[in-house]
Amino acid sequence: QVQLVESGGGLVQAGGSLRLSCAASGRTFGRYLMGWFRQAPGKEREFVAATYWNGGGTYYTDSVKGRFTISGDNAKNTVELLMNSLKPEDTAVYYCAADEASNIVTWPPRMKYWGQGTQVTVSS
């Protein structure tokens, strides 16, 4: 089992920045895919970004490319999402998620472990 706890959400004006953090505990050894998803009111949850904990690429949905940066630190068991140039349409609850790399067979990935979510609100 892996437990995930997000932090860093809040209210920001359009054009501003926020950094989300996710701390993982439990069974954190091995090669994991760590990701961020978001769910806006009235919409389905969508993939935002992902990275492999022990090296590998970074992946983004088109709408955040060039604005968001995901980074993982295996030694600290954390993954962060730096969000720049935020837009009102980025408003959503953001979820940290994880799964063992060997379980990733679809894309966007279907993750096994989820955090409780953190609210990000971008005002215009």
Side-chain angles (χ1 to χ4, degrees):
Q1 292 290 330
V2 174
Q3 294 79 44
L4 303 170
V5 178
E6 304 98 334
S7 60
L11 172 65
V12 65
Q13 289 188 331
S17 299
L18 279 176
R19 185 187 299 270
L20 304 183
S21 294
C22 175
S25 60
R27 184 187 171 94
T28 56
F29 54 88
R31 191 164 187 256
Y32 275 81
L33 181 71
M34 306 297 297
W36 289 93
F37 292 70
R38 67 186 180 187
Q39 187 167 19
K43 295 186 177 181
E44 293 188 353
R45 187 164 57 191
E46 66 171 349
F47 168 77
V48 176
T51 186
Y52 285 100
W53 226 347
N54 291 331
T58 55
Y59 311 90
Y60 301 94
T61 192
D62 287 345
S63 62
V64 308
K65 285 180 180 177
R67 300 189 298 122
F68 290 11
T69 303
I70 187 171
S71 60
D73 189 329
N74 188 211
K76 297 181 180 180
N77 288 349
T78 59
V79 62
E80 294 189 339
L81 185 68
L82 175 60
M83 305 184 293
N84 295 322
S85 302
L86 282 161
K87 305 175 181 180
E89 51 263 42
D90 294 318
T91 295
V93 177
Y94 283 70
Y95 297 90
C96 177
D99 203 348
E100 294 181 63
S102 59
N103 291 336
I104 305 302
V105 296
T106 62
W107 201 267
R110 294 180 181 177
M111 304 295 221
K112 182 176 183 179
Y113 304 106
W114 294 86
Q116 81 287 353
T118 185
Q119 177 70 46
V120 171
T121 302
V122 184
S123 62
S124 58

Coordinates of all heavy atoms in Angstrom, one line a residue, residues 4 32 37 44 46 53 59 65 74 82 87 91 95 100-101 109:
L4 N -0.7 8.7 -0.1 CA -0.3 10.0 -0.8 C -1.0 11.1 -0.1 O -2.2 11.1 0.1 CB -0.7 9.9 -2.2 CG -0.1 8.8 -3.0 CD1 -0.7 8.7 -4.4 CD2 1.4 8.9 -3.1
Y32 N 8.0 3.4 -9.6 CA 6.6 3.9 -9.6 C 6.4 5.0 -10.7 O 7.3 5.8 -10.9 CB 6.2 4.4 -8.3 CG 5.8 3.4 -7.3 CD1 6.7 2.6 -6.6 CD2 4.4 3.2 -7.1 CE1 6.2 1.6 -5.7 CE2 4.0 2.2 -6.2 CZ 4.9 1.5 -5.5 OH 4.4 0.5 -4.6
F37 N -3.5 14.5 -11.5 CA -4.8 14.5 -12.2 C -5.5 15.7 -11.6 O -5.2 16.2 -10.6 CB -5.5 13.2 -12.0 CG -4.9 12.0 -12.7 CD1 -3.7 11.5 -12.2 CD2 -5.5 11.5 -13.8 CE1 -3.1 10.4 -12.8 CE2 -4.9 10.3 -14.4 CZ -3.7 9.8 -13.9
E44 N -15.2 15.4 -15.8 CA -14.5 14.1 -15.4 C -13.1 14.5 -15.0 O -12.5 15.4 -15.4 CB -14.5 13.1 -16.6 CG -15.9 12.6 -16.9 CD -15.9 11.5 -17.9 OE1 -14.8 11.2 -18.4 OE2 -16.9 10.9 -18.2
E46 N -9.2 14.3 -15.2 CA -8.3 14.2 -16.3 C -6.9 14.2 -15.9 O -6.5 14.7 -14.9 CB -8.6 15.4 -17.3 CG -8.1 16.8 -16.7 CD -8.2 17.9 -17.7 OE1 -8.3 17.6 -18.9 OE2 -8.0 19.1 -17.3
W53 N 9.5 7.7 -11.0 CA 10.2 8.1 -9.8 C 11.7 7.8 -9.9 O 12.5 8.5 -9.5 CB 9.7 7.3 -8.6 CG 9.5 8.2 -7.4 CD1 9.9 9.4 -7.2 CD2 8.7 7.9 -6.2 NE1 9.5 9.9 -6.0 CE2 8.8 9.0 -5.4 CE3 8.0 6.8 -5.8 CZ2 8.1 9.0 -4.2 CZ3 7.4 6.8 -4.6 CH2 7.5 7.9 -3.8
Y59 N 5.7 13.5 -18.7 CA 4.6 13.5 -19.6 C 3.5 14.5 -19.2 O 3.2 14.7 -18.0 CB 4.0 12.1 -19.7 CG 5.0 11.0 -19.8 CD1 5.6 10.4 -18.7 CD2 5.4 10.6 -21.1 CE1 6.5 9.4 -18.9 CE2 6.4 9.6 -21.3 CZ 6.9 9.0 -20.2 OH 7.9 8.1 -20.3
K65 N 1.3 21.9 -21.2 CA 2.7 21.9 -21.7 C 3.3 23.3 -21.8 O 2.7 24.2 -22.3 CB 2.8 21.2 -23.1 CG 2.6 19.7 -23.1 CD 2.7 19.1 -24.4 CE 2.6 17.6 -24.4 NZ 2.6 17.0 -25.8
N74 N 12.9 10.6 -5.5 CA 12.8 9.3 -4.9 C 13.4 9.2 -3.5 O 12.8 8.5 -2.6 CB 13.5 8.3 -5.8 CG 13.2 6.9 -5.4 OD1 14.0 6.0 -5.6 ND2 12.0 6.6 -4.8
L82 N 4.9 22.1 -10.4 CA 5.1 23.6 -10.4 C 4.2 24.1 -11.6 O 4.3 23.7 -12.7 CB 6.5 24.0 -10.7 CG 6.8 25.5 -10.9 CD1 6.3 26.3 -9.7 CD2 8.2 25.7 -11.2
K87 N -4.3 29.7 -15.5 CA -5.5 30.3 -16.2 C -6.7 29.9 -15.4 O -6.7 28.8 -14.7 CB -5.6 29.7 -17.6 CG -4.3 29.9 -18.4 CD -4.5 29.2 -19.8 CE -3.3 29.4 -20.7 NZ -3.4 28.7 -22.0
T91 N -8.6 25.8 -12.8 CA -9.3 25.6 -11.5 C -9.9 24.2 -11.4 O -10.6 23.8 -12.3 CB -10.4 26.7 -11.4 OG1 -9.9 28.0 -11.3 CG2 -11.3 26.4 -10.2
Y95 N -5.3 16.0 -7.8 CA -5.0 14.7 -7.1 C -3.6 14.2 -7.5 O -3.3 14.1 -8.7 CB -6.0 13.7 -7.5 CG -7.4 14.0 -7.1 CD1 -8.3 14.7 -7.9 CD2 -7.9 13.6 -5.8 CE1 -9.6 15.0 -7.6 CE2 -9.2 13.9 -5.4 CZ -10.0 14.6 -6.3 OH -11.3 14.9 -5.9
E100 N 2.7 1.2 -9.6 CA 3.9 0.5 -10.0 C 4.0 0.6 -11.5 O 3.0 0.4 -12.2 CB 3.9 -0.9 -9.5 CG 4.0 -1.0 -8.0 CD 4.1 -2.5 -7.5 OE1 5.0 -3.1 -7.8 OE2 3.1 -2.9 -6.8
A101 N 5.2 0.8 -12.0 CA 5.4 1.0 -13.5 C 4.9 -0.2 -14.2 O 4.3 -0.1 -15.3 CB 6.8 1.3 -13.7
P109 N -2.6 7.0 -17.9 CA -2.5 5.8 -17.0 C -3.7 5.7 -16.0 O -4.3 6.7 -15.6 CB -1.2 6.1 -16.2 CG -1.1 7.6 -16.2 CD -1.6 8.0 -17.5

